[in-house]
């Protein structure tokens, strides 16, 4: 079976800066794949080039057998590829519920939306108490929960998560990673970008290490977690 | 007492006009962070289109049928909506990623184009005209001995109806939520499947339709249409813009509040202080508000921008 997402020789330029220099990897259906690396390695750039926020200068992205390279973001979502963006991207001027409804913007199956909303709120009961509250009043952890719940309401086959642990307390990080596993077990494929390599490699099946715009290592997450060079560079083990 | 009621009614009518126009500035700013300086010209075109349509239908003479006003209003709003849509498509969209200043200069260009194209004989012509009386000036009812003409009552009623319709659209519909989402974060909105270009187009359609209503109502109330490049339109647009800024630019309810605030201050001061400074009061409010609350009255941290 062909992989759900195929990325071939992806290149991105920001003006004169060559940010991604030929990144190639696959994401198989049903897996959690993680992309780890230092600040500025090109992790977010990779996600943005996949979700259509950035146009790659070279290379191709294929999702569920369809070429999606360079297509606008709002069309890519419709194919079942959602992204919970870096910095969460919560609409602070909308209520929590309106944020969720915006996630379901393209859908018209009211019964299905209601069911998925229940399900998402089941994952994050804390959001349920705050549905009518302005999303800007949520804590960082709650905003991250909302960002994931909102992305789930697009009914994705593949969910891109950009640094869901960023700036959160260790307890909340643990909770978020637990939920990432639950979502994957439920059948949604996940591409997880993380600086917290330790946690990311623990939940993922496959890992890729990005260094200054190119893949430096790839393999089963468990193997990467044991690799000496990676332990030194990303896991803080000396 | 009757003078007080009279001033109050005038302020109410004028505030409605300002509000209709101010919303166009605030809607566009909320989404694109850009002041559409051609907006007052859409108001002007709205007034002139309604005048032209009334002529085409033969309603220029007195005693036009009751259906005249709604027909002309709907057509005028439709035509100006298309005009606003076209302006955005042709002039502003190609500059979406360009520096702010380029768009601003383009807006001034569009403004000059509309003003001077309108002067052509084939368009509206170079002379001021009298607006046909599509609404009667007969009193509809009296308040404390002051006659409320049908035209004023209708203008206020329709303006408030349109404002409520917009409020409903923005805060109670899926499209409105999408507009607010785009206004807050265009990039994330597109990740939710929202076609940002389409939302921008719809915003221009709505803002221009409201401006057209404002222009037509202005003509009905004051009976005279200034030449297309006339200072009356510039001043009207400028005051509506001040209303939007005073209320907190980008904030819908703020624009409406700002519009009524400046209309009331302008009319009351002109009546009870000195009419010589009628226009100056408006800008005095602007200066005072900006000194005290630089974001405008409703432009605080929890602002709702569209």
């Amino acid at each position: 079976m062909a992989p759900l997402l195929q990325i071939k020789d992806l290149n991105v330029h920001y003006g004169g800066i060559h940010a991604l220099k030929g990144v190639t990897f696959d994401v198989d259906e049903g897996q959690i794949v993680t992309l780890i690396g230092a600040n500025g390695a090109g992790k977010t750039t990779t996600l943005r080039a996949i979700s259509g926020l950035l146009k790659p200068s070279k290379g191709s992205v294929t999702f569920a057998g369809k070429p999606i390279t360079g297509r606008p973001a709002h069309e890519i979502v419709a194919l079942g590829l959602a992204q919970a963006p870096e910095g969460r991207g919560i609409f602070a001027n909308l209520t929590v519920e309106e944020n969720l409804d915006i996630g379901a913007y393209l859908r018209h199956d009211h019964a299905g939306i209601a069911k998925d909303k229940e399900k998402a709120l089941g994952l994050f009961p804390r959001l349920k108490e705050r549905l009518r509250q302005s999303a800007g009043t949520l804590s960082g952890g709650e905003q991250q929960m909302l960002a994931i719940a909102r992305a789930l309401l697009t009914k994705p086959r593949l969910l891109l998560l950009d640094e869901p642990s960023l700036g959160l307390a260790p307890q909340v990080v643990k909770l978020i990673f637990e939920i990432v596993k639950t979502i994957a077990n439920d059948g949604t494929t996940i591409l997880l970008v993380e600086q917290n390599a330790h946690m990311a490699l623990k939940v993922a099946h496959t890992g890729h290490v990005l260094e200054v715009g190119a893949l430096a290592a790839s393999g089963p997450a468990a193997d990467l977690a044991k690799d000496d060079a990676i332990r030194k560079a990303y896991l803080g083990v000396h | 007492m009757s003078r007080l009621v009279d001033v109050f009614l005038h302020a109410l009518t004028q505030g409605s006009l300002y509000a209709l126009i101010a919303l166009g500035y605030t809607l566009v700013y909320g989404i694109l962070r850009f002041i559409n300086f051609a907006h007052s010209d859409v108001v002007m075109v709205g007034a002139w289109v309604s005048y032209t349509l009334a002529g085409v239908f033969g309603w220029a003479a007195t005693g036009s049928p009751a259906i005249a006003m709604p027909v002309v209003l709907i057509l005028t709003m439709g035509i100006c909506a298309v005009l606003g849509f076209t302006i955005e498509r042709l002039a502003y969209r190609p500059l979406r990623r360009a520096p702010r200043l380029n768009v601003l200069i383009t807006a001034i260009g569009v403004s000059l184009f509309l003003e001077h194209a309108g002067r052509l004989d084939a368009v509206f012509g170079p002379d001021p005209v009298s607006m046909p009386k599509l609404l009667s000036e007969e009193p509809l009812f009296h308040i404390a001995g002051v006659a409320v003409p049908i035209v004023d009552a209708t203008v206020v009623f329709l303006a408030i109806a349109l404002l409520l319709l917009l409020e409903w659209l923005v805060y109670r519909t899926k499209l409105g939520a999408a507009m607010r989402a785009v206004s807050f974060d265009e990039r994330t909105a597109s990740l939710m499947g929202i076609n940002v270009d389409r939302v921008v187009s719809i915003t221009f359609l709505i803002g221009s339709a409201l401006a057209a209503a404002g222009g037509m109502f202005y003509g009905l109330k004051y009976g005279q249409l200034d030449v297309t490049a006339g200072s009356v339109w510039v001043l009207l647009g400028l005051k509506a813009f001040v209303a939007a800024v005073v209320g907190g630019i980008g904030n819908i309810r703020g624009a409406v509040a700002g519009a009524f605030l400046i209309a009331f201050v302008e009319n009351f001061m002109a009546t009870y202080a000195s009419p010589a400074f009628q226009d100056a009061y408006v800008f005095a409010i602007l200066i005072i508000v900006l000194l005290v609350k630089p974001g405008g009255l409703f432009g605080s941290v929890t602002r709702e921008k569209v």
Side-chain angles (χ1 to χ4, degrees):
Chain A
M1 202 179 76
L4 184 59
L5 180 75
Q6 286 174 287
I7 294 158
K8 281 209 181 90
D9 190 29
L10 200 62
N11 279 264
V12 174
H13 284 83
Y14 289 116
I17 300 161
H18 198 174
L20 277 194
K21 303 162 187 165
V23 171
T24 300
F25 68 92
D26 291 344
V27 175
D28 285 325
E29 182 128 41
Q31 284 218 327
I32 301 181
V33 174
T34 187
L35 197 57
I36 57 175
N39 237 340
K43 305 188 298 292
T44 295
T45 304
T46 307
L47 288 194
R48 286 184 178 169
I50 296 170
S51 62
L53 290 178
L54 279 176
K55 282 205 193 339
S57 44
K58 202 180 141 204
S60 70
V61 182
T62 310
F63 177 67
K66 288 190 197 102
I68 57 167
T69 326
R71 285 183 66 177
H74 66 89
E75 290 179 12
I76 291 177
V77 195
L79 301 173
L81 198 165
Q83 183 181 356
E86 186 188 30
R88 301 159 199 144
I90 291 306
F91 302 115
N93 58 337
L94 271 58
T95 65
V96 170
E97 183 154 33
E98 284 174 329
N99 268 275
L100 292 173
D101 291 338
I102 287 282
Y105 183 73
L106 291 174
R107 297 172 59 184
H108 301 284
D109 56 324
H110 293 285
I113 295 172
K115 213 180 100 202
D116 286 351
K117 215 193 243 178
E118 264 321 297
K119 208 161 126 192
L121 291 173
L123 288 175
F124 303 108
R126 273 159 80 177
L127 295 179
K128 201 166 187 171
E129 302 153 22
R130 308 190 193 284
L131 279 179
R132 302 204 164 272
Q133 219 167 297
S134 157
T137 64
L138 297 183
S139 72
E142 289 163 348
Q143 289 196 7
Q144 188 57 60
M145 294 173 192
L146 179 55
I148 296 175
R150 187 181 58 181
L152 285 175
L153 273 162
T154 67
K155 216 176 179 182
R157 283 179 74 185
L158 173 64
L159 176 60
L160 312 183
L161 295 174
D162 197 347
E163 304 239 17
S165 77
L166 193 73
L168 301 183
Q171 281 302 324
V172 186
V173 173
K174 245 173 114 178
L175 178 72
I176 298 271
F177 276 97
E178 277 308 311
I179 285 164
V180 168
K181 269 204 277 191
T182 310
I183 294 168
N185 287 338
D186 222 33
T188 307
T189 309
I190 291 177
L191 174 57
L192 170 69
V193 151
E194 260 303 335
Q195 273 199 67
N196 187 337
H198 181 70
M199 289 296 276
L201 290 175
K202 238 184 184 167
V203 299
H205 302 99
T206 310
H208 301 281
V209 181
L210 203 54
E211 263 173 25
V212 278
L215 287 188
S218 296
D223 294 355
L224 290 177
K226 279 184 238 147
D227 185 290
D228 274 346
I230 290 166
R231 285 165 69 89
K232 249 188 191 158
Y234 300 104
L235 300 177
V237 182
H238 295 285
Chain B
M1 180 61 188
S2 72
R3 187 156 89 146
L4 185 75
V5 175
D6 195 39
V7 181
F8 181 87
L9 291 172
H10 266 287
L12 198 62
T13 316
Q14 216 168 347
S16 312
L17 295 180
Y18 290 159
L20 286 173
I21 303 166
L23 283 167
Y25 285 108
T26 232
L27 283 168
V28 167
Y29 182 87
I31 291 204
L32 293 179
R33 299 293 180 274
F34 138 74
I35 309 293
N36 179 14
F37 272 109
H39 189 63
S40 65
D41 300 289
V42 177
V43 176
M44 173 277 287
V45 171
W48 277 91
V49 163
S50 66
Y51 163 82
T52 309
L53 284 173
V56 168
F57 287 118
W59 290 326
T62 46
S64 50
I67 193 161
M69 205 284 300
V71 168
V72 173
L73 177 65
I74 290 168
L75 287 176
T76 301
M77 288 177 75
I79 289 169
C80 285
V82 173
L83 174 70
F85 172 87
T86 311
I87 292 172
E88 190 275 327
R89 204 58 186 263
L90 296 182
Y92 302 152
R93 187 169 301 178
L95 298 172
R96 195 71 61 74
R97 309 258 168 260
R100 227 31 76 82
L101 189 62
N102 302 19
V103 195
L104 202 67
I105 292 168
T106 305
I108 295 169
V110 171
S111 166
L112 290 172
F113 172 79
L114 291 176
E115 287 175 13
H116 294 279
R119 290 173 59 181
L120 298 173
D121 285 324
V123 188
F124 301 127
D127 301 311
V129 293
S130 293
M131 182 77 179
K133 295 195 188 331
L134 296 179
L135 287 170
S136 157
E137 276 165 6
E138 301 282 305
L140 183 66
F141 51 83
H142 290 78
I143 299 176
V146 177
V148 180
I150 291 176
V151 47
D152 285 60
T154 313
V155 164
V156 172
F157 174 77
L158 286 177
I160 290 174
L162 287 171
L163 298 179
L164 290 176
L165 191 66
L166 181 75
E167 166 89 11
W168 171 80
L169 178 88
V170 170
Y171 292 99
R172 294 277 175 274
T173 67
K174 200 167 167 175
L175 172 67
M179 289 171 75
R180 284 180 289 143
V182 169
S183 140
F184 192 79
D185 182 348
E186 214 177 278
R187 193 196 287 259
T188 305
S190 72
L191 285 178
M192 300 298 130
I194 296 170
N195 184 341
V196 173
D197 279 341
R198 185 179 299 163
V199 169
V200 170
S201 285
I202 291 171
T203 306
F204 271 84
L205 283 171
I206 296 171
S208 305
L210 293 176
M216 174 173 165
F217 291 163
Y218 177 89
L220 290 176
K221 169 147 174 67
Y222 295 101
Q224 281 286 322
L225 298 191
D226 194 7
V227 292
T228 60
S231 60
V232 163
W233 306 116
V234 177
L235 194 60
L236 182 61
L238 212 51
K239 285 183 183 172
F241 175 58
V242 167
V245 174
V246 163
I249 186 114
N251 183 311
I252 291 183
R253 289 164 187 167
V256 176
F260 285 104
L261 175 73
I262 64 165
F264 274 87
V265 173
E266 177 182 347
N267 280 283
F268 275 87
M269 293 295 283
T271 308
Y272 293 102
S274 158
F277 296 109
Q278 179 161 10
D279 298 330
Y281 301 129
V282 172
F283 299 97
I285 300 171
L286 177 68
I287 293 167
I288 293 166
V289 168
L290 290 188
L291 280 175
V292 180
K293 280 200 83 182
L297 294 177
F298 294 82
S300 54
V301 207
T302 51
R303 71 189 153 180
E304 197 78 278
K305 300 175 263 75
V306 156

